[in-house]
Amino acid sequence: MAVTDSTAAPPLPAHPDPQLDAILAGSLPHELSYALGGPFHLLLPDRFDANAAAFTAVLDEFGVEGRVYYAKKANKAAAWIERCALSGTGVDVASAGELRDALGHGVRGEYVVVTGPAKADALLRVAVLQGCLIAVDALDELERVIEVGRPARVLLRRLPPSQPHSRFGLDGGELETALVRCRDAGLTMEGFSFHLSGYDPLMRAELAAELVELCLKARTLGLRADRISIGGGFAVDYTDAEHWERFLRDQRPEHYHAGKSFAPADFYPYHSPVAGPDALRAVLAADGLAGRLREAGVTLLLEPGRALLDRAGCTVFRVQGVKDRPGHGIVTVDGSSLSLSEQWFNSEYLPDPVLLPAHASPGEPYAACIGGATCLESDMITWRKVRFPARPAPGDLLVYPNTAGYQMDSNESPFHELPLPPKVVLDTAGGTTRWRLDRHPLA
């Protein structure tokens, strides 16, 4: 069945990745699919290490004291926390479960920052006792930290003036009250933080500069105030500008199963010209922020999640069946849209999956959407009709690249008693590829 330009959606290939290509070219993906009996995620911890080192290198480049905290919500795997414990990378947690995981994998409490709104008493108690840094989000939360009755380390979270509708942070009047209360209660008030939506480095730099001034003001009250956290918001660049711009320009309902459409504003910015460590570089360069941090003696804290997981994993499905329809096909795989979670954000998952045939079989290009194995019409892993080099067949594999950041863990569910995809950790040190299943510390 020949594919016409009106059938397939504009292509969206991932950036070239020779290391992943070498892994996929071997027999390992097919062997794991057979052994595990369902979809699975591949994890590459060395990529996590490299991404964390790249952020630290930018801090060093600007002569800024800082610490990187991995935002654990981006992926639940134990592998990343193990790497944090070994390297001294911090961990950002927002629940008692995440805190237990971090501590259980050997991350020291002093290297943990506890964020999130209206934290539970149990979480606050453990955080205080373990010496974690707590981003206080409200005045009543500050009182509950004090009530633990032990020395506590806190940041005060600032409500962004540019986002007054945000549910995170203290406004100006609340900050004034909180500063006095920290002084009177003898808390170690280490500085300020904010929760800012979006990926604009200039907006992040402007608010960071305001926090530096707040630190100087807090010191006049005798408070320590020597660090600020600018959170995450470091985008990942999934595909190149040419493909992304063409996709946004040319995509239309007939490129999707059942004529579904997505508004461009709903998409994650899958191409970002300033991403990851480069985004941090842009923040530090804006309005002389790096110099202001150095002059004020303020340490910069970062909480990237997705950006530390860039190219650190992929997701593999096995083809269970293919239906031919006029001008395109419908591929069904052995998992579901709840196995890969970008549609939690009402966004089509990108980039294009890669076909790994079980057997070499030449054929014509073939366009197909990819559906899940559940009894729901809306269970579509990829709504758009992807152009494959040949018609997929049962037993073939579809590999979604670069899924470690939020794709593996956000909206996962064992609906229909389909198992959650296990995570397989790959070790490629020394030129030999070895694998193991990711383990929870209590498993």
Side-chain angles (χ1 to χ4, degrees):
M1 182 190 312
V3 176
T4 66
D5 287 339
S6 62
T7 302
L12 271 165
H15 287 295
D17 188 343
Q19 179 182 347
L20 181 60
D21 290 345
I23 294 169
L24 299 182
S27 61
L28 181 62
H30 289 278
E31 291 173 358
L32 288 171
S33 177
Y34 177 80
L36 299 173
F40 59 94
H41 304 301
L42 287 178
L43 309 184
L44 303 174
D46 58 320
R47 288 281 175 79
F48 180 90
D49 295 342
N51 291 332
F55 274 95
T56 300
V58 174
L59 294 170
D60 293 342
E61 174 189 333
F62 282 84
V64 170
E65 291 292 325
R67 176 173 290 280
V68 178
Y69 293 81
Y70 165 57
K72 193 179 185 303
K73 62 181 179 291
N75 190 300
K76 298 183 181 73
W80 320 123
I81 308 303
E82 293 166 356
R83 305 311 301 171
C84 290
L86 289 170
S87 67
T89 300
V91 180
D92 162 25
V93 305
S95 71
E98 288 185 341
L99 179 54
R100 284 195 301 269
D101 242 8
L103 296 173
H105 282 97
V107 178
R108 294 165 61 176
E110 65 189 276
Y111 292 162
V112 176
V113 60
V114 181
T115 59
K119 302 166 194 65
D121 288 344
L123 171 59
L124 291 175
R125 181 175 182 277
V126 175
V128 170
L129 294 178
Q130 294 299 321
C132 303
L133 183 58
I134 303 169
V136 172
D137 196 73
L139 292 176
D140 64 333
E141 184 172 280
L142 181 61
E143 292 303 321
R144 291 188 289 118
V145 169
I146 294 169
E147 287 170 5
V148 175
R150 298 290 182 88
R153 303 169 57 220
V154 301
L155 298 174
L156 298 180
R157 180 178 280 159
R158 172 73 166 113
L159 174 69
S162 62
Q163 297 179 357
H165 57 277
S166 174
R167 64 190 183 94
F168 296 97
L170 300 140
D171 64 24
E174 291 168 329
L175 275 180
E176 295 280 355
T177 301
L179 287 170
V180 173
R181 191 70 180 102
C182 286
R183 181 196 63 190
D184 293 346
L187 297 184
T188 304
M189 206 295 287
E190 297 193 7
F192 300 88
S193 67
F194 57 74
H195 183 284
L196 188 65
S197 298
Y199 299 95
D200 184 348
L202 294 180
M203 186 179 297
R204 201 163 294 273
E206 289 172 1
L207 191 48
E210 180 186 331
L211 296 196
V212 172
E213 297 305 312
L214 286 174
C215 283
L216 297 177
K217 178 179 178 180
R219 291 175 190 174
T220 66
L221 296 176
L223 297 169
R224 175 173 162 178
D226 64 357
R227 61 202 58 216
I228 64 171
S229 173
I230 61 173
F234 303 99
V236 165
D237 187 40
Y238 288 92
T239 191
D240 63 42
E242 179 182 356
H243 285 103
W244 180 234
E245 291 165 3
R246 179 187 171 190
F247 176 79
L248 292 180
R249 181 184 68 242
D250 295 346
Q251 60 128 2
R252 50 189 187 272
E254 53 263 42
H255 290 149
Y256 295 87
H257 174 65
K260 185 177 177 67
S261 62
F262 291 88
D266 288 338
F267 289 118
Y268 180 88
Y270 289 95
H271 168 70
S272 180
V274 181
D278 285 336
L280 174 59
R281 186 175 286 108
V283 170
L284 289 172
D287 296 326
L289 177 62
R292 298 173 79 172
L293 290 165
R294 293 193 301 267
E295 182 180 356
V298 171
T299 298
L300 186 68
L301 311 182
L302 319 169
E303 299 161 11
R306 190 189 294 254
L308 291 186
L309 299 168
D310 185 21
R311 301 194 305 160
C314 64
T315 300
V316 183
F317 294 96
R318 180 189 293 172
V319 175
Q320 291 191 163
V322 183
K323 290 182 178 179
D324 294 320
R325 292 291 184 262
H328 74 284
I330 301 175
V331 173
T332 298
V333 297
D334 58 353
S336 76
S337 56
L338 301 175
S339 307
L340 202 60
S341 303
E342 188 71 275
Q343 293 185 46
W344 182 42
F345 299 102
N346 191 34
S347 182
E348 172 78 338
Y349 180 71
L350 306 174
D352 291 343
V354 176
L355 177 65
L356 299 184
H359 307 285
S361 55
E364 296 181 326
Y366 186 87
C369 52
I370 298 96
T374 73
C375 297
L376 294 175
E377 185 68 45
S378 61
D379 183 16
M380 300 297 297
I381 299 171
T382 301
W383 286 84
R384 71 183 185 279
K385 301 164 187 175
V386 176
R387 181 189 297 264
F388 292 105
R391 183 182 187 274
D396 291 351
L397 301 182
L398 294 184
V399 180
Y400 285 83
N402 208 357
T403 57
Y406 288 105
Q407 310 302 335
M408 298 178 184
D409 297 317
S410 287
N411 202 30
E412 71 277 19
S413 169
F415 181 60
H416 262 315
E417 297 190 27
L418 292 170
L420 295 178
K423 296 183 176 75
V424 178
V425 182
L426 294 189
D427 179 0
T428 57
T432 300
T433 299
R434 298 182 298 174
W435 66 271
R436 63 177 175 85
L437 293 177
D438 186 74
R439 296 292 187 185
H440 186 280
L442 300 181

